[in-house]
Amino acid sequence: MSEIQGLPQPDPVPEKANPLPTPPSNPTPSLETLRGWLPLCLSNTDATLSHLSRILSTPSGTDTFLLTICYTSLLSSSLLSSISLHRIHSAARRLISQAIALPPNTTVIIDTSALPPPRLLITARRLKALSELISDFRIFARLWGLLSIYNWGKRVYSSPAKDVLVRRIVYTQVASNIAYQYLENGAYLSSKGVLGWSKEMQSRAWIWSSRFWMLHVGLDLVRLWREAHLRTLKGKAKEGSDEDNKWISKWRKEVVVNAAWAPLTLHWSLEEGFAGDFWVGLLGSVAGLAGFRELWRTTGNV
């Protein structure tokens, strides 16, 4: 057999190699390390709680926070319900297949008391109850919304926008919000027995209040497009100064929030609707988190 010349020879295998140090299987921080972390953790916790306190000190901040919790709870409830029901269906299918495989005339006794409680389903129901409670509270807190709409209308009429289209859009939004708030207040108070609107009238009021809200959202999207178009004409479309960056950040946030509300307002404007809890929770969470993120950023240095 021929032999190939010039190949490097393999390194000789040492008789006894030095083993590599084995890292600890479960490294635990020392007490001194934990003591060093404690001041930093306390400082971060204090800063976070103080920041959240500043947000909750205003009605708008509280509403944004509750809105976020409301829809994220509904979304979590929908996801947990789906997971729990999928597990129940899988267990039922396995049980049926096992029962079919038994000999004929076999008596099958299922002791349901021995089954573990559906913890995910229980948690899902509690999260949905929390979402409904927050939603009811937010509607109650909006009973005085006509006062803020009045101040908003007085402000936009005394200092109108320079652009004709934007000015007309805002005027229409003020009128739309007055109708929305009046109908929602009447339907809510009647559902609690304070006013005497019939069930049929309450149902129509809820639907039409949502339609006026949908009008507001649609007009807001048109206003945002118009404002961006006007800035483009002025050559301010790109990011530049801090003021421009703040305007662009706020504009993008409003686009995301309105884009998330648009399908939901359409859903609530229809008698039957078309979106389930998952989509309502998802879109509402997008709107809530986008608003809360911007609120957290703007109140960070206060």
Side-chain angles (χ1 to χ4, degrees), residues 49-70:
L49 292 178
S50 299
H51 196 163
L52 186 60
S53 176
R54 289 195 296 271
I55 290 176
L56 297 179
S57 63
T58 61
S60 60
T62 301
D63 184 70
T64 302
F65 176 75
L66 290 178
L67 183 151
T68 306
I69 299 299
C70 175

Side-chain angles (χ1 to χ4, degrees), residues 151-170:
N151 286 329
W152 174 37
K154 183 173 64 174
R155 186 169 62 253
V156 298
Y157 277 98
S158 60
S159 302
K162 295 180 180 179
D163 183 69
V164 177
L165 179 58
V166 173
R167 184 165 63 248
R168 291 176 178 176
I169 286 174
V170 176

